[in-house]
Amino acid sequence: EDFIAETIIVHPNPATDMVQIILPSSNETADIELFSLGGNSVLNQLNYKSGAPLNISKIAPGCYFLHTKQNEVTAITKIIIQ
């Protein structure tokens, strides 16, 4: 089964202090990294478990790209932090 961006849900989006990333299967893990529009990495977490709360309260408001890597395939999702 292909791992594509449409199968990843980020809730809530826009977000303020916490998000959940829902992967295609609830028992899956993935490596996640959040990038600013300028390409700077602002958050990196290995083995993120689907649905676990992710603290983003220290990240400045703006638009970011979430890279979710699983089985050597990377999906990119836009996240807005308010």
Side-chain angles (χ1 to χ4, degrees):
E1 183 176 324
D2 291 338
F3 180 65
I4 55 174
E6 287 79 25
T7 63
I8 297 172
I9 299 168
V10 178
H11 177 77
N13 191 9
T16 53
D17 57 354
M18 196 76 67
V19 294
Q20 289 182 304
I21 302 162
I22 310 300
L23 302 173
S25 175
S26 61
N27 63 349
E28 291 184 12
T29 62
D31 297 338
I32 59 171
E33 191 164 7
L34 194 63
F35 290 93
S36 67
L37 290 179
N40 297 317
S41 176
V42 296
L43 182 137
N44 189 355
Q45 184 172 333
L46 301 177
N47 297 314
Y48 172 84
K49 177 147 176 46
S50 179
L54 184 65
N55 186 346
I56 57 167
S57 63
K58 295 183 176 160
I59 299 174
C63 186
Y64 294 87
F65 290 107
L66 175 71
H67 290 225
T68 309
K69 184 175 182 179
Q70 190 177 46
N71 301 324
E72 302 303 316
V73 178
T74 301
I76 301 172
T77 309
K78 185 168 85 170
I79 295 181
I80 297 171
I81 298 176
Q82 297 180 324

